[in-house]
Amino acid sequence: ASAFLRTAPPWAKDLVRGVVLQAPVSDREAYALCVPAAELAAAVTTAAAHAQDGQPGAIVFRLLDESPMTAQRVLDLFSPRGADDMFSPDLSDGELATRLGHLGSCRAVLVAVSGADEYVPAGQYPALAHRISSAIPDAELLFIDGADHALTAPSGAGEQFIEAVMRHVGKAAARLERPADVSR
């Protein structure tokens, strides 16, 4: 949603009335939990060298030994302040607002955070959740205490999310302009 609303033509942006960010996590922080730091650092160094040599499309890394990644994608995801570094805890409040602020104001935004998200380093929530939602004008924060990333636990987490999304859809629909009364 963030990249689309930052780069889409105005007519396409105008069609979006609401956004739901479900379990927003930093890819850089999440992969640091399962990929050795030295391996990620080496991938970023290799990617930077390829990008500098004019080869941003070169495959330089296989994420978890499976998914091939280009130099540019590695830089976007794993470099501090890379193009897709949206939710990292080391971003300042101003940087979060710069990266996410365009989502709000003219559309309803729900930031739904899983309180026990396994892809977020321990101790980051709830403070990071509040910082993310505060970066987006008029955003609503849903903090699902104890929920995992996929909302499969605890019991009822998924239902709590669905209920919030249904309320959110109602708010987004209310933002639609009513058609002109042509019966007169």
mmCIF file of all heavy atoms in Angstrom, residues 11 18 20 29 33 55 61 63-64 72 110 115 118 158:
data_model
loop_
_atom_site.group_PDB
_atom_site.id
_atom_site.type_symbol
_atom_site.label_atom_id
_atom_site.label_comp_id
_atom_site.label_asym_id
_atom_site.label_seq_id
_atom_site.Cartn_x
_atom_site.Cartn_y
_atom_site.Cartn_z
ATOM 1 N N TRP A 11 -5.119 9.675 -10.199
ATOM 2 C CA TRP A 11 -6.433 9.071 -10.387
ATOM 3 C C TRP A 11 -6.511 7.716 -9.693
ATOM 4 O O TRP A 11 -7.564 7.345 -9.161
ATOM 5 C CB TRP A 11 -6.775 8.935 -11.878
ATOM 6 C CG TRP A 11 -5.892 7.978 -12.628
ATOM 7 C CD1 TRP A 11 -4.773 8.290 -13.333
ATOM 8 C CD2 TRP A 11 -6.032 6.561 -12.704
ATOM 9 N NE1 TRP A 11 -4.201 7.153 -13.856
ATOM 10 C CE2 TRP A 11 -4.959 6.062 -13.490
ATOM 11 C CE3 TRP A 11 -6.952 5.652 -12.205
ATOM 12 C CZ2 TRP A 11 -4.791 4.715 -13.760
ATOM 13 C CZ3 TRP A 11 -6.792 4.295 -12.476
ATOM 14 C CH2 TRP A 11 -5.717 3.857 -13.252
ATOM 15 N N GLY A 18 -9.274 3.304 1.829
ATOM 16 C CA GLY A 18 -8.821 2.796 3.120
ATOM 17 C C GLY A 18 -7.632 1.873 2.959
ATOM 18 O O GLY A 18 -7.400 1.315 1.887
ATOM 19 N N VAL A 20 -5.286 -1.124 5.305
ATOM 20 C CA VAL A 20 -5.067 -1.918 6.507
ATOM 21 C C VAL A 20 -3.627 -2.407 6.475
ATOM 22 O O VAL A 20 -3.211 -3.064 5.525
ATOM 23 C CB VAL A 20 -6.027 -3.133 6.584
ATOM 24 C CG1 VAL A 20 -5.698 -3.997 7.799
ATOM 25 C CG2 VAL A 20 -7.477 -2.676 6.614
ATOM 26 N N GLU A 29 14.712 -6.264 10.503
ATOM 27 C CA GLU A 29 14.702 -6.778 11.876
ATOM 28 C C GLU A 29 14.233 -8.233 11.915
ATOM 29 O O GLU A 29 14.783 -9.044 12.656
ATOM 30 C CB GLU A 29 13.783 -5.921 12.746
ATOM 31 C CG GLU A 29 14.237 -4.498 12.911
ATOM 32 C CD GLU A 29 15.323 -4.345 13.956
ATOM 33 O OE1 GLU A 29 15.294 -5.076 14.959
ATOM 34 O OE2 GLU A 29 16.195 -3.497 13.774
ATOM 35 N N LEU A 33 16.496 -12.059 12.887
ATOM 36 C CA LEU A 33 16.175 -13.065 13.893
ATOM 37 C C LEU A 33 16.489 -14.482 13.412
ATOM 38 O O LEU A 33 16.631 -15.390 14.224
ATOM 39 C CB LEU A 33 14.700 -12.977 14.289
ATOM 40 C CG LEU A 33 14.271 -11.684 14.980
ATOM 41 C CD1 LEU A 33 12.753 -11.646 15.138
ATOM 42 C CD2 LEU A 33 14.958 -11.536 16.329
ATOM 43 N N GLN A 55 24.932 -2.882 -11.790
ATOM 44 C CA GLN A 55 24.285 -4.192 -11.910
ATOM 45 C C GLN A 55 23.270 -4.410 -10.778
ATOM 46 O O GLN A 55 23.348 -5.405 -10.043
ATOM 47 C CB GLN A 55 25.331 -5.298 -11.870
ATOM 48 C CG GLN A 55 26.356 -5.213 -12.970
ATOM 49 C CD GLN A 55 27.475 -6.223 -12.751
ATOM 50 O OE1 GLN A 55 27.749 -6.682 -11.647
ATOM 51 N NE2 GLN A 55 28.136 -6.575 -13.838
ATOM 52 N N PHE A 61 22.021 -12.914 -3.593
ATOM 53 C CA PHE A 61 21.712 -13.533 -2.308
ATOM 54 C C PHE A 61 20.532 -14.474 -2.481
ATOM 55 O O PHE A 61 19.655 -14.225 -3.299
ATOM 56 C CB PHE A 61 21.363 -12.417 -1.307
ATOM 57 C CG PHE A 61 21.125 -12.857 0.107
ATOM 58 C CD1 PHE A 61 22.133 -13.417 0.862
ATOM 59 C CD2 PHE A 61 19.882 -12.674 0.694
ATOM 60 C CE1 PHE A 61 21.919 -13.791 2.181
ATOM 61 C CE2 PHE A 61 19.659 -13.045 2.007
ATOM 62 C CZ PHE A 61 20.679 -13.600 2.760
ATOM 63 N N LEU A 63 17.711 -15.814 -0.100
ATOM 64 C CA LEU A 63 17.113 -15.682 1.217
ATOM 65 C C LEU A 63 16.708 -17.048 1.745
ATOM 66 O O LEU A 63 15.955 -17.779 1.091
ATOM 67 C CB LEU A 63 15.905 -14.755 1.160
ATOM 68 C CG LEU A 63 15.251 -14.414 2.481
ATOM 69 C CD1 LEU A 63 16.244 -13.727 3.410
ATOM 70 C CD2 LEU A 63 14.054 -13.519 2.255
ATOM 71 N N LEU A 64 17.238 -17.387 2.908
ATOM 72 C CA LEU A 64 16.987 -18.688 3.535
ATOM 73 C C LEU A 64 17.290 -19.824 2.566
ATOM 74 O O LEU A 64 16.599 -20.835 2.526
ATOM 75 C CB LEU A 64 15.550 -18.762 4.063
ATOM 76 C CG LEU A 64 15.161 -17.662 5.046
ATOM 77 C CD1 LEU A 64 13.703 -17.772 5.446
ATOM 78 C CD2 LEU A 64 16.057 -17.670 6.275
ATOM 79 N N GLN A 72 19.512 -4.800 -5.853
ATOM 80 C CA GLN A 72 18.645 -3.697 -5.440
ATOM 81 C C GLN A 72 17.657 -4.128 -4.370
ATOM 82 O O GLN A 72 17.406 -3.395 -3.415
ATOM 83 C CB GLN A 72 17.903 -3.109 -6.637
ATOM 84 C CG GLN A 72 17.191 -1.810 -6.303
ATOM 85 C CD GLN A 72 18.171 -0.745 -5.831
ATOM 86 O OE1 GLN A 72 19.106 -0.403 -6.534
ATOM 87 N NE2 GLN A 72 17.968 -0.211 -4.629
ATOM 88 N N LEU A 110 -5.987 1.639 9.164
ATOM 89 C CA LEU A 110 -5.978 0.783 10.350
ATOM 90 C C LEU A 110 -4.607 0.136 10.441
ATOM 91 O O LEU A 110 -4.154 -0.505 9.486
ATOM 92 C CB LEU A 110 -7.055 -0.305 10.241
ATOM 93 C CG LEU A 110 -7.054 -1.368 11.344
ATOM 94 C CD1 LEU A 110 -7.377 -0.759 12.703
ATOM 95 C CD2 LEU A 110 -8.053 -2.471 11.006
ATOM 96 N N GLY A 115 0.634 -8.335 19.184
ATOM 97 C CA GLY A 115 1.430 -8.042 20.363
ATOM 98 C C GLY A 115 2.563 -9.006 20.656
ATOM 99 O O GLY A 115 3.539 -8.645 21.306
ATOM 100 N N GLU A 118 6.198 -12.876 16.283
ATOM 101 C CA GLU A 118 7.483 -13.587 16.353
ATOM 102 C C GLU A 118 8.548 -12.975 15.445
ATOM 103 O O GLU A 118 9.722 -13.332 15.537
ATOM 104 C CB GLU A 118 7.305 -15.075 16.053
ATOM 105 C CG GLU A 118 6.772 -15.409 14.682
ATOM 106 C CD GLU A 118 5.254 -15.429 14.562
ATOM 107 O OE1 GLU A 118 4.544 -14.745 15.339
ATOM 108 O OE2 GLU A 118 4.765 -16.136 13.658
ATOM 109 N N GLY A 158 -7.775 -13.769 15.415
ATOM 110 C CA GLY A 158 -8.222 -13.577 14.033
ATOM 111 C C GLY A 158 -9.590 -12.916 13.964
ATOM 112 O O GLY A 158 -9.812 -12.002 13.161
#
